[in-house]
């Protein structure tokens, strides 16, 4: 999960320069279910609290067997 904010310049650079690289995008597509979450809206606010996100960008690798909304 890519946790970002609209004002985060490093987040924008990752999207513009890294995630578009074929080798990077192929790897992520093959190994993960990819989600971008704006942490200042909707469910993103809950994720900030649950995972104690305090800097950006933050990349979360979450076990698919655990619900995002269930305490572990």
């Amino acid at each position: 999960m890519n946790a970002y904010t609209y004002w985060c310049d490093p987040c924008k650079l990752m999207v513009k320069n890294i995630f578009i690289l074929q080798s990077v995008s192929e790897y992520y597509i093959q190994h993960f279910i990819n989600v971008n979450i704006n942490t200042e809206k909707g469910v993103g606010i809950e994720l900030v609290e649950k995972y104690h996100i305090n800097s950006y960008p933050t990349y979360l690798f979450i076990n698919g067997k655990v619900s995002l909304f269930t305490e572990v």
Side-chain angles (χ1 to χ4, degrees):
M1 176 184 316
N2 175 22
Y4 74 94
T5 65
Y6 75 92
W7 48 262
C8 171
D9 288 334
C11 298
K12 293 173 189 176
L13 289 173
M14 289 297 292
V15 169
K16 182 179 177 182
N17 298 318
I18 304 302
F19 294 145
I20 65 164
L21 296 174
Q22 184 173 355
S23 61
V24 174
S25 64
E26 285 178 2
Y27 184 86
Y28 272 74
I29 288 169
Q30 289 174 5
H31 294 91
F32 306 107
I33 296 172
N34 301 287
V35 179
N36 291 314
I37 300 288
N38 182 338
T39 58
E40 296 183 309
K41 295 181 179 181
V43 70
I45 296 168
E46 292 179 48
L47 295 174
V48 167
E49 292 177 19
K50 179 174 178 128
Y51 294 107
H52 308 285
I53 298 170
N54 58 16
S55 63
Y56 298 96
T58 294
Y59 305 106
L60 300 171
F61 297 87
I62 300 170
N63 180 338
K65 296 178 182 175
V66 178
S67 169
L68 291 177
F69 304 102
T70 303
E71 289 299 319
V72 180

Coordinates of all heavy atoms in Angstrom, one line a residue:
M1 N 0.8 -1.2 0.0 CA 0.0 0.0 0.0 C 0.9 1.2 0.0 O 1.8 1.3 0.8 CB -0.9 0.0 1.2 CG -1.7 1.3 1.3 SD -2.7 1.4 2.9 CE -3.3 -0.3 3.0
N2 N 0.6 2.1 -0.9 CA 1.3 3.4 -0.9 C 0.4 4.4 -0.2 O -0.6 4.8 -0.6 CB 1.5 3.8 -2.4 CG 2.1 5.2 -2.5 OD1 2.7 5.7 -1.6 ND2 1.8 5.8 -3.7
A3 N 0.9 4.8 1.0 CA 0.2 5.8 1.8 C 0.8 7.2 1.5 O 2.0 7.4 1.7 CB 0.4 5.5 3.3
Y4 N 0.0 8.1 1.0 CA 0.5 9.4 0.5 C -0.4 10.5 0.9 O -1.5 10.3 1.4 CB 0.7 9.4 -1.0 CG -0.7 9.4 -1.7 CD1 -1.2 10.7 -2.1 CD2 -1.4 8.3 -2.0 CE1 -2.4 10.8 -2.8 CE2 -2.6 8.4 -2.6 CZ -3.1 9.6 -3.0 OH -4.4 9.7 -3.6
T5 N 0.1 11.7 0.7 CA -0.8 12.9 0.9 C -0.6 13.8 -0.4 O 0.4 13.6 -1.1 CB -0.3 13.8 2.1 OG1 1.0 14.3 1.8 CG2 -0.3 13.0 3.4
Y6 N -1.5 14.6 -0.6 CA -1.5 15.4 -1.9 C -0.3 16.4 -1.9 O 0.2 16.8 -2.9 CB -2.8 16.2 -2.1 CG -3.0 17.4 -1.2 CD1 -2.6 18.6 -1.6 CD2 -3.6 17.2 0.1 CE1 -2.7 19.7 -0.7 CE2 -3.7 18.3 0.9 CZ -3.3 19.5 0.5 OH -3.4 20.6 1.3
W7 N 0.2 16.8 -0.7 CA 1.2 17.8 -0.6 C 2.6 17.2 -0.5 O 3.6 17.9 -0.5 CB 1.0 18.7 0.7 CG 0.7 17.9 1.9 CD1 -0.5 17.7 2.5 CD2 1.7 17.3 2.8 NE1 -0.3 16.9 3.6 CE2 1.0 16.7 3.8 CE3 3.1 17.2 2.7 CZ2 1.6 15.9 4.8 CZ3 3.7 16.5 3.8 CH2 3.0 15.8 4.8
C8 N 2.8 15.9 -0.5 CA 4.0 15.2 -0.3 C 4.8 15.2 -1.6 O 4.5 14.4 -2.6 CB 3.8 13.8 0.2 SG 5.2 12.7 0.2
D9 N 5.9 16.0 -1.7 CA 6.7 16.0 -2.9 C 7.5 14.7 -3.2 O 7.5 14.3 -4.3 CB 7.7 17.2 -2.9 CG 7.0 18.5 -3.1 OD1 5.9 18.6 -3.7 OD2 7.5 19.6 -2.6
P10 N 8.0 14.1 -2.2 CA 8.7 12.8 -2.4 C 7.7 11.7 -3.0 O 8.0 10.9 -3.8 CB 9.3 12.4 -1.1 CG 9.5 13.7 -0.4 CD 8.4 14.5 -0.8
C11 N 6.4 11.8 -2.5 CA 5.4 10.9 -3.0 C 5.2 11.1 -4.5 O 5.1 10.2 -5.3 CB 4.1 11.1 -2.3 SG 4.1 10.8 -0.5
K12 N 5.1 12.4 -4.9 CA 4.9 12.7 -6.3 C 6.1 12.3 -7.1 O 5.9 11.8 -8.3 CB 4.7 14.2 -6.4 CG 3.4 14.7 -5.8 CD 3.4 16.2 -5.8 CE 2.2 16.8 -5.0 NZ 2.2 18.2 -5.0
L13 N 7.3 12.4 -6.6 CA 8.5 12.0 -7.3 C 8.5 10.5 -7.5 O 8.9 10.0 -8.6 CB 9.8 12.4 -6.6 CG 10.1 13.9 -6.7 CD1 11.2 14.3 -5.7 CD2 10.3 14.4 -8.1
M14 N 8.1 9.7 -6.5 CA 8.0 8.2 -6.7 C 7.1 7.8 -7.8 O 7.4 7.0 -8.6 CB 7.6 7.6 -5.4 CG 8.7 7.7 -4.3 SD 10.2 6.8 -4.7 CE 9.6 5.1 -4.7
V15 N 5.9 8.5 -7.8 CA 4.9 8.2 -8.9 C 5.4 8.6 -10.2 O 5.3 7.8 -11.2 CB 3.6 8.9 -8.6 CG1 2.6 8.8 -9.7 CG2 2.9 8.3 -7.3
K16 N 6.1 9.7 -10.3 CA 6.5 10.2 -11.6 C 7.8 9.5 -12.1 O 7.9 9.3 -13.3 CB 6.8 11.7 -11.5 CG 7.2 12.4 -12.7 CD 7.5 13.9 -12.5 CE 8.0 14.5 -13.8 NZ 8.2 16.0 -13.6
N17 N 8.7 9.1 -11.2 CA 10.0 8.6 -11.7 C 10.3 7.2 -11.4 O 11.1 6.6 -12.1 CB 11.1 9.5 -11.0 CG 11.1 10.9 -11.4 OD1 10.8 11.2 -12.6 ND2 11.2 11.8 -10.5
I18 N 9.7 6.6 -10.4 CA 10.0 5.2 -10.0 C 9.0 4.2 -10.4 O 9.2 3.2 -11.0 CB 10.3 5.1 -8.5 CG1 11.4 6.1 -8.1 CG2 10.7 3.7 -8.1 CD1 12.8 5.9 -8.8
F19 N 7.7 4.5 -10.0 CA 6.7 3.5 -10.2 C 6.4 3.3 -11.7 O 5.8 2.2 -12.0 CB 5.4 3.9 -9.5 CG 5.5 3.8 -8.0 CD1 4.8 4.7 -7.2 CD2 6.3 2.9 -7.3 CE1 4.9 4.7 -5.8 CE2 6.4 2.8 -6.0 CZ 5.7 3.7 -5.2
I20 N 6.8 4.2 -12.5 CA 6.5 4.0 -14.0 C 7.6 3.2 -14.6 O 7.5 2.8 -15.8 CB 6.4 5.4 -14.7 CG1 7.7 6.1 -14.6 CG2 5.3 6.2 -14.1 CD1 7.8 7.3 -15.6
L21 N 8.7 2.9 -14.0 CA 9.8 2.1 -14.5 C 9.2 0.7 -14.8 O 8.6 0.1 -13.9 CB 11.0 2.0 -13.6 CG 11.7 3.3 -13.4 CD1 12.8 3.2 -12.3 CD2 12.3 3.9 -14.7
Q22 N 9.5 0.1 -15.9 CA 8.9 -1.2 -16.3 C 9.3 -2.2 -15.3 O 8.5 -3.0 -14.8 CB 9.3 -1.6 -17.7 CG 8.7 -2.9 -18.1 CD 9.0 -3.2 -19.6 OE1 9.6 -2.4 -20.3 NE2 8.5 -4.3 -20.0
S23 N 10.6 -2.3 -14.9 CA 11.0 -3.3 -13.9 C 10.4 -3.2 -12.6 O 10.0 -4.2 -12.0 CB 12.6 -3.3 -13.8 OG 12.9 -2.0 -13.2
V24 N 10.1 -2.0 -12.1 CA 9.5 -1.8 -10.8 C 8.0 -2.1 -11.0 O 7.5 -2.9 -10.1 CB 9.6 -0.3 -10.4 CG1 8.8 0.0 -9.1 CG2 11.1 0.0 -10.2
S25 N 7.3 -1.6 -12.0 CA 5.9 -1.9 -12.1 C 5.6 -3.4 -12.3 O 4.7 -3.9 -11.7 CB 5.3 -1.1 -13.2 OG 5.8 -1.4 -14.5
E26 N 6.4 -4.1 -13.1 CA 6.3 -5.5 -13.3 C 6.4 -6.3 -12.0 O 5.7 -7.2 -11.7 CB 7.2 -6.0 -14.4 CG 6.8 -5.6 -15.8 CD 7.8 -6.1 -16.8 OE1 8.8 -6.8 -16.4 OE2 7.6 -5.8 -18.0
Y27 N 7.4 -5.9 -11.2 CA 7.7 -6.6 -10.0 C 6.5 -6.4 -9.0 O 6.0 -7.4 -8.4 CB 9.0 -6.1 -9.3 CG 9.3 -6.9 -8.0 CD1 10.0 -8.1 -8.1 CD2 8.8 -6.4 -6.8 CE1 10.2 -8.8 -6.9 CE2 9.1 -7.1 -5.6 CZ 9.8 -8.3 -5.7 OH 10.0 -9.0 -4.6
Y28 N 6.0 -5.2 -8.9 CA 4.9 -4.9 -8.0 C 3.6 -5.6 -8.4 O 2.9 -6.2 -7.6 CB 4.7 -3.4 -7.8 CG 5.5 -2.8 -6.7 CD1 6.9 -2.6 -6.8 CD2 4.9 -2.5 -5.5 CE1 7.7 -2.1 -5.8 CE2 5.7 -1.9 -4.5 CZ 7.1 -1.8 -4.6 OH 7.8 -1.3 -3.6
I29 N 3.4 -5.6 -9.7 CA 2.2 -6.3 -10.3 C 2.2 -7.8 -10.0 O 1.2 -8.4 -9.7 CB 2.0 -5.9 -11.8 CG1 1.6 -4.4 -11.9 CG2 1.0 -6.8 -12.4 CD1 1.7 -3.9 -13.3
Q30 N 3.4 -8.4 -10.2 CA 3.6 -9.8 -10.0 C 3.5 -10.3 -8.6 O 3.1 -11.4 -8.3 CB 4.9 -10.3 -10.6 CG 4.9 -10.2 -12.1 CD 6.3 -10.6 -12.7 OE1 7.2 -11.0 -12.0 NE2 6.4 -10.4 -14.0
H31 N 3.9 -9.4 -7.6 CA 4.0 -9.9 -6.3 C 3.0 -9.3 -5.3 O 2.9 -9.8 -4.1 CB 5.5 -9.6 -5.8 CG 6.5 -10.4 -6.5 ND1 7.1 -9.9 -7.6 CD2 7.0 -11.6 -6.2 CE1 8.0 -10.8 -8.0 NE2 7.9 -11.9 -7.2
F32 N 2.3 -8.2 -5.6 CA 1.5 -7.5 -4.7 C 0.1 -7.1 -5.3 O 0.0 -7.0 -6.5 CB 2.2 -6.3 -4.1 CG 3.5 -6.5 -3.6 CD1 4.7 -6.1 -4.3 CD2 3.7 -7.1 -2.3 CE1 5.9 -6.3 -3.7 CE2 4.9 -7.3 -1.8 CZ 6.1 -6.9 -2.5
I33 N -0.8 -6.9 -4.4 CA -2.0 -6.2 -4.8 C -1.7 -4.7 -4.4 O -1.5 -4.4 -3.2 CB -3.3 -6.7 -4.1 CG1 -3.5 -8.1 -4.5 CG2 -4.5 -5.8 -4.4 CD1 -4.6 -8.8 -3.7
N34 N -1.7 -3.8 -5.4 CA -1.2 -2.5 -5.1 C -2.4 -1.5 -4.9 O -3.4 -1.5 -5.7 CB -0.4 -2.0 -6.3 CG 0.8 -2.9 -6.5 OD1 1.7 -2.9 -5.8 ND2 0.7 -3.8 -7.5
V35 N -2.2 -0.7 -3.9 CA -3.3 0.3 -3.5 C -2.6 1.6 -3.2 O -1.6 1.6 -2.4 CB -4.1 -0.2 -2.3 CG1 -5.2 0.7 -1.9 CG2 -4.7 -1.6 -2.6
N36 N -3.2 2.7 -3.7 CA -2.8 4.0 -3.3 C -3.8 4.6 -2.4 O -5.0 4.6 -2.7 CB -2.6 4.9 -4.5 CG -1.4 4.5 -5.4 OD1 -0.4 4.3 -4.9 ND2 -1.7 4.5 -6.7
I37 N -3.4 5.0 -1.2 CA -4.4 5.6 -0.2 C -3.9 7.0 0.2 O -2.8 7.2 0.7 CB -4.5 4.7 1.0 CG1 -4.9 3.3 0.7 CG2 -5.4 5.4 2.1 CD1 -6.4 3.2 0.3
N38 N -4.8 8.0 -0.1 CA -4.6 9.3 0.4 C -4.9 9.3 1.9 O -6.1 9.0 2.3 CB -5.5 10.3 -0.3 CG -5.2 11.7 0.2 OD1 -4.7 12.0 1.2 ND2 -5.6 12.7 -0.7
T39 N -3.9 9.5 2.8 CA -4.1 9.4 4.2 C -4.8 10.5 4.9 O -5.0 10.6 6.1 CB -2.8 9.1 4.9 OG1 -1.9 10.2 4.6 CG2 -2.2 7.8 4.4
E40 N -5.3 11.5 4.1 CA -6.0 12.6 4.6 C -7.5 12.6 4.3 O -8.2 13.5 4.7 CB -5.4 13.9 4.1 CG -4.0 14.1 4.6 CD -3.4 15.4 4.1 OE1 -3.4 15.7 2.9 OE2 -2.8 16.1 5.0
K41 N -7.9 11.4 3.7 CA -9.3 11.3 3.4 C -9.8 9.9 3.7 O -9.1 8.9 3.7 CB -9.5 11.5 1.9 CG -9.2 12.9 1.4 CD -9.5 12.9 -0.1 CE -9.2 14.3 -0.7 NZ -9.5 14.4 -2.1
G42 N -11.1 9.8 4.0 CA -11.8 8.5 4.2 C -11.0 7.5 5.0 O -10.6 7.8 6.1
V43 N -10.9 6.3 4.5 CA -10.2 5.2 5.2 C -8.8 5.5 5.5 O -8.2 5.0 6.4 CB -10.4 3.9 4.4 CG1 -9.6 3.9 3.1 CG2 -10.0 2.7 5.2
G44 N -8.2 6.4 4.7 CA -6.8 6.8 5.0 C -6.5 7.3 6.4 O -5.5 7.1 7.0
I45 N -7.5 8.0 6.9 CA -7.4 8.6 8.2 C -7.3 7.5 9.3 O -6.5 7.5 10.2 CB -8.6 9.6 8.5 CG1 -8.5 10.7 7.6 CG2 -8.6 10.0 10.0 CD1 -9.8 11.6 7.5
E46 N -8.1 6.4 9.1 CA -8.1 5.3 10.0 C -6.7 4.6 9.9 O -6.2 4.1 10.9 CB -9.2 4.3 9.7 CG -10.6 4.8 10.0 CD -11.6 3.8 9.6 OE1 -11.4 2.6 9.9 OE2 -12.6 4.1 8.9
L47 N -6.2 4.4 8.7 CA -4.9 3.7 8.5 C -3.8 4.5 9.2 O -2.9 3.8 9.7 CB -4.7 3.5 7.0 CG -5.6 2.6 6.3 CD1 -5.4 2.6 4.8 CD2 -5.6 1.2 6.9
V48 N -3.8 5.8 9.2 CA -2.8 6.6 9.8 C -2.7 6.2 11.3 O -1.7 6.0 11.9 CB -3.0 8.1 9.7 CG1 -2.1 8.9 10.6 CG2 -2.7 8.5 8.2
E49 N -3.9 6.1 11.9 CA -4.0 5.8 13.3 C -3.6 4.3 13.6 O -2.8 4.1 14.5 CB -5.4 6.0 13.9 CG -5.7 7.5 13.9 CD -7.2 7.8 14.3 OE1 -7.8 6.9 14.9 OE2 -7.7 8.8 14.0
K50 N -4.1 3.4 12.8 CA -3.8 2.0 13.0 C -2.3 1.7 12.9 O -1.8 0.9 13.6 CB -4.6 1.2 12.0 CG -4.4 -0.3 12.2 CD -5.3 -1.1 11.4 CE -4.9 -2.6 11.6 NZ -6.0 -3.4 11.9
Y51 N -1.7 2.2 11.8 CA -0.3 1.9 11.5 C 0.7 2.9 12.0 O 1.9 2.9 11.6 CB -0.2 1.5 10.0 CG -0.9 0.3 9.7 CD1 -2.1 0.4 8.9 CD2 -0.5 -0.9 10.1 CE1 -2.8 -0.8 8.6 CE2 -1.2 -2.1 9.8 CZ -2.3 -2.0 9.0 OH -3.0 -3.1 8.7
H52 N 0.2 3.9 12.7 CA 1.1 5.0 13.2 C 1.9 5.7 12.1 O 3.1 5.8 12.3 CB 2.0 4.5 14.3 CG 1.2 3.7 15.4 ND1 0.4 4.4 16.3 CD2 1.0 2.4 15.6 CE1 -0.2 3.5 17.1 NE2 0.1 2.3 16.7
I53 N 1.3 6.0 11.1 CA 2.0 6.7 9.9 C 2.3 8.1 10.3 O 1.4 8.8 10.7 CB 1.2 6.6 8.6 CG1 0.9 5.1 8.3 CG2 1.8 7.3 7.5 CD1 -0.1 4.9 7.1
N54 N 3.5 8.5 10.2 CA 3.9 9.9 10.6 C 4.9 10.5 9.6 O 5.4 11.6 9.9 CB 4.4 10.0 12.0 CG 5.6 9.1 12.3 OD1 6.2 8.6 11.3 ND2 5.9 8.8 13.5
S55 N 5.2 9.8 8.5 CA 6.0 10.4 7.5 C 5.6 9.9 6.1 O 5.0 8.8 6.1 CB 7.5 10.1 7.8 OG 7.7 8.7 7.7
Y56 N 6.0 10.6 5.1 CA 5.5 10.2 3.8 C 6.7 10.3 2.8 O 7.5 11.2 2.9 CB 4.4 11.1 3.3 CG 3.2 11.0 4.2 CD1 3.0 11.9 5.3 CD2 2.3 9.9 4.0 CE1 1.9 11.7 6.1 CE2 1.2 9.8 4.9 CZ 1.0 10.7 5.9 OH 0.0 10.5 6.7
P57 N 6.7 9.5 1.8 CA 5.7 8.4 1.6 C 6.0 7.2 2.5 O 7.1 7.1 3.1 CB 6.0 7.9 0.1 CG 7.4 8.3 -0.1 CD 7.7 9.5 0.7
T58 N 4.9 6.5 2.8 CA 5.0 5.3 3.6 C 4.5 4.1 2.8 O 3.4 4.3 2.2 CB 4.2 5.4 4.9 OG1 4.8 6.4 5.7 CG2 4.1 4.1 5.7
Y59 N 5.2 3.0 2.8 CA 4.8 1.9 2.0 C 4.5 0.7 3.0 O 5.4 0.4 3.8 CB 5.9 1.4 1.0 CG 6.2 2.6 0.1 CD1 7.4 3.3 0.3 CD2 5.3 3.0 -0.8 CE1 7.7 4.3 -0.5 CE2 5.6 4.1 -1.6 CZ 6.8 4.7 -1.5 OH 7.1 5.8 -2.3
L60 N 3.3 0.2 3.0 CA 2.9 -0.8 3.9 C 2.7 -2.1 3.1 O 2.1 -2.2 2.1 CB 1.5 -0.5 4.6 CG 1.5 0.8 5.4 CD1 0.1 1.1 5.8 CD2 2.4 0.7 6.6
F61 N 3.3 -3.2 3.6 CA 3.2 -4.5 3.1 C 2.4 -5.3 4.1 O 2.9 -5.7 5.1 CB 4.6 -5.1 2.8 CG 5.4 -4.3 1.8 CD1 6.1 -3.2 2.2 CD2 5.3 -4.7 0.5 CE1 6.8 -2.5 1.3 CE2 6.0 -3.9 -0.5 CZ 6.8 -2.8 -0.1
I62 N 1.1 -5.5 3.7 CA 0.2 -6.1 4.7 C -0.1 -7.6 4.3 O -0.4 -7.9 3.1 CB -1.1 -5.3 4.7 CG1 -0.7 -3.8 5.1 CG2 -2.1 -5.9 5.6 CD1 -1.9 -2.9 4.9
N63 N -0.1 -8.4 5.3 CA -0.4 -9.8 5.1 C -1.9 -9.9 4.6 O -2.8 -9.4 5.2 CB -0.3 -10.6 6.4 CG -0.6 -12.0 6.3 OD1 -1.3 -12.5 5.4 ND2 -0.1 -12.8 7.2
G64 N -2.1 -10.5 3.5 CA -3.4 -10.6 2.9 C -4.4 -11.4 3.7 O -5.6 -11.4 3.4
K65 N -4.0 -12.1 4.7 CA -4.9 -12.9 5.5 C -5.4 -12.1 6.7 O -6.2 -12.6 7.5 CB -4.1 -14.2 6.0 CG -3.7 -15.1 4.9 CD -3.0 -16.3 5.4 CE -2.6 -17.2 4.2 NZ -1.7 -18.3 4.6
V66 N -4.9 -10.9 6.8 CA -5.4 -10.1 8.0 C -6.2 -8.9 7.4 O -5.7 -8.2 6.5 CB -4.1 -9.5 8.7 CG1 -4.6 -8.6 9.9 CG2 -3.3 -10.7 9.3
S67 N -7.3 -8.7 8.0 CA -8.2 -7.6 7.5 C -7.5 -6.2 8.0 O -7.0 -6.1 9.0 CB -9.6 -7.7 8.2 OG -10.3 -6.5 8.0
L68 N -7.7 -5.2 7.1 CA -7.1 -3.9 7.4 C -7.9 -3.3 8.6 O -7.3 -2.4 9.3 CB -7.3 -3.0 6.2 CG -6.5 -3.2 5.0 CD1 -6.8 -2.3 3.9 CD2 -5.0 -3.1 5.3
F69 N -9.0 -3.8 8.9 CA -9.8 -3.1 9.9 C -10.0 -4.0 11.2 O -10.9 -3.8 12.0 CB -11.2 -2.7 9.3 CG -11.0 -1.8 8.2 CD1 -11.1 -2.3 6.9 CD2 -10.6 -0.5 8.3 CE1 -10.9 -1.5 5.8 CE2 -10.3 0.3 7.3 CZ -10.5 -0.2 6.0
T70 N -9.2 -5.0 11.3 CA -9.2 -5.9 12.4 C -7.9 -5.8 13.2 O -6.9 -5.9 12.6 CB -9.4 -7.4 12.0 OG1 -10.6 -7.5 11.2 CG2 -9.5 -8.3 13.2
E71 N -8.0 -5.5 14.5 CA -6.7 -5.4 15.3 C -6.0 -6.7 15.2 O -6.6 -7.8 15.3 CB -7.1 -5.0 16.7 CG -7.5 -3.6 16.8 CD -6.5 -2.6 16.4 OE1 -5.3 -2.8 16.7 OE2 -6.9 -1.6 15.7
V72 N -4.7 -6.6 15.1 CA -3.8 -7.8 15.0 C -3.2 -8.1 16.4 O -2.8 -7.2 17.0 CB -2.7 -7.6 13.9 CG1 -1.8 -8.8 13.9 CG2 -3.3 -7.3 12.6

